[in-house]
Amino acid sequence: MSATEGAAFIELENVYVERAGVRVLDNVSLTLRAGDRLAVVGANGAGKTTLLRTITGLQKATSGTVRAFGRVRRTQEDFREVRIRAAYLFQDADDQLFCPTVLEDVAFGPLNMGLNEQAALEKANATLAFLGMEHLGERITRRLSGGEKRLVCLAGVLAMEPDVLLLDEPTNSLDAKHVEKLMTVLSSLDKSMIIVSHDRPILDRLATRAVRMKDCRLEPAVLHRHPHVHEHLHVHVGEDHA
Ligand SMILES: Nc1ncnc2c1ncn2[C@@H]1O[C@H](COP(=O)(O)OP(=O)(O)O)[C@@H](O)[C@H]1O
Ligand SMILES: [Mg+2]
């Protein structure tokens, strides 16, 4: 990777989005640099998912500029590369999984990137092994548990070796065991991330800075370091901390 430290991977400039004629993003600007792990908090319906969809071109900006990996992105062809380098873990695993078996699903990304079938399957197997899930390879995706589905989706995302992970409420509706597994993996990865979450302990562990979506706009939220016996991060998102 040639990006210098601190290079911007993703930059939104004065982005507006309307869905069904209603404004959902209002003059949103955001920069994600190499090494950033940006928490995005905010109420349901605030526009967090729309933000991730706009970064990946699944949602078209009404106006403003989406720049990713050094280039302005406008067309679907532009966003094809963005979706490989900034891989999106959907809020709902059932929206992401669509192949019959786990191995096929994880191999889909590498295949889509142009690897031949054998290389894509090897990549999928290696990624599942990295996550300690090689035993799931032949399983039928729709019969997995919710936690297994989320981890298989993560495998599919990681198999593309992205620079950036876009994580939409990654721990939502997972049991404690799968949350811990997911967190162990995510915190071990040397990747930039945007983490949409309401899960305060998750953000404490993962995020390096935070923003909040409110009324379709992004505003800063403060990450505090509290000097306890062990130091950890708190995200303050209330009005009184803005
Ligand atoms: N498919 C859609 N068509 C029209 N409006 C939508 C659609 N999906 C979401 N919205 C609206 O966009 C706004 C932001 O939604 P979303 O980005 O999903 O918020 P969040 O992820 O913060 O809960 C909400 O007002 C929601 O009703
Ligand atoms: Mg959402």
Side-chain angles (χ1 to χ4, degrees), residues 45-104:
K48 305 179 300 296
T49 295
T50 304
L51 178 71
L52 298 186
R53 289 173 54 87
T54 305
I55 290 169
T56 49
L58 300 174
Q59 177 71 47
K60 201 170 160 37
T62 320
S63 67
T65 309
V66 178
R67 203 174 285 110
F69 309 106
R71 285 180 47 202
V72 172
R73 308 288 174 163
R74 291 190 202 286
T75 65
Q76 279 309 304
E77 186 55 31
D78 292 340
F79 281 109
R80 246 181 63 82
E81 188 200 9
V82 178
R83 288 198 278 267
I84 289 168
R85 296 187 63 186
Y88 185 2
L89 190 69
F90 288 178
Q91 186 165 353
D92 185 344
D94 288 322
D95 290 339
Q96 190 138 26
L97 297 167
F98 63 96
C99 294
T101 70
V102 167
L103 192 61
E104 288 169 293

Side-chain angles (χ1 to χ4, degrees), residues 204-225:
D204 287 351
R205 277 174 70 176
L206 272 187
T208 57
R209 64 192 184 91
V211 290
R212 176 166 60 147
M213 288 235 60
K214 191 181 172 210
D215 300 334
C216 313
R217 300 178 76 103
L218 266 191
E219 55 184 46
V222 182
L223 274 172
H224 283 263
R225 283 182 186 276

